[in-house]
Amino acid sequence: MLTAIDTAHWEADFVKQRDVRNLFAVVFIVFGLLVSPATAVSPEIESEIAAAQSRLDAAFANADPDEIREMVTSDHVAVTPYYPGPTSIDGQIAALAGTEFDFLGEENRQIFELSDSVVLITQEKLYTGSRGGVPMPSRVAVAAIWVQTDGKWLQRYYQETAIPTGEAE
């Protein structure tokens, strides 16, 4: 018979295994980009993605969990300098309470079509603010995977890497 401690341990292992599988999926996608070139998206898809991304950015800036959940897949994962590791959408929403930031803009956005219903966005984002009292990086490199489900673009994966001041191109 499983005790509460055994169940918690099993659940933690399951989450770690799921996160590792998610990271492997991203590695395979990036590897696929290197092996077969991705193509630029049509102006229509670029417009749809830009609108969806703006809506999701606003939802995070406004700490709106319902809007955030509407704009991401249920198995969404984010990896950022201010999360302790790969973080589920539930963890991201829980972290909103200690977050105060202003989104200042974005630069160098590129959108690549990986398939008819999957795109990769790379760009730099600019912020000011803090999470849990720790200052957020002011400039980050972003890679995000968006999938089209039932005609709607949803973010599936999001990763930020801090760019030290003076090193942006």
Side-chain angles (χ1 to χ4, degrees):
M1 180 171 169
L2 288 176
T3 66
I5 293 172
D6 292 335
T7 304
H9 177 72
W10 178 84
E11 289 172 349
D13 285 346
F14 178 77
V15 169
K16 287 178 188 174
Q17 290 172 4
R18 183 196 67 206
D19 290 343
V20 169
R21 286 192 306 269
N22 289 337
L23 288 175
F24 278 129
V26 171
V27 168
F28 285 120
I29 289 171
V30 171
F31 178 75
L33 283 173
L34 298 174
V35 173
S36 63
T39 58
V41 298
S42 70
E44 178 184 350
I45 291 176
E46 186 170 352
S47 176
E48 291 172 3
I49 292 291
Q53 181 180 352
S54 292
R55 187 174 161 201
L56 182 57
D57 286 343
F60 270 99
N62 295 323
D64 184 342
D66 294 332
E67 183 76 1
I68 292 168
R69 287 188 192 283
E70 191 174 314
M71 297 301 304
V72 301
T73 61
S74 61
D75 58 351
H76 184 273
V77 173
V79 179
T80 71
Y82 35 84
Y83 294 141
T87 304
S88 70
I89 193 60
D90 292 331
Q92 295 166 55
I93 288 172
L96 288 173
T99 303
E100 294 180 20
F101 74 95
D102 289 318
F103 176 63
L104 302 176
E106 61 192 28
E107 298 176 351
N108 306 318
R109 180 181 2 195
Q110 295 180 301
I111 304 175
F112 302 96
E113 187 172 31
L114 304 181
S115 74
D116 290 341
S117 61
V118 180
V119 299
L120 168 68
I121 298 175
T122 62
Q123 65 187 1
E124 294 173 22
K125 285 189 173 182
L126 309 166
Y127 299 104
T128 183
S130 65
R131 262 189 205 202
V134 177
M136 293 174 62
S138 60
R139 180 182 289 271
V140 294
V142 173
I145 296 174
W146 288 76
V147 296
Q148 190 174 41
T149 305
D150 298 326
K152 182 178 177 181
W153 287 101
L154 303 174
Q155 191 178 85
R156 167 64 183 87
Y157 180 82
Y158 182 84
Q159 182 162 353
E160 285 184 0
T161 302
I163 301 174
T165 305
E167 293 188 25
E169 293 183 22

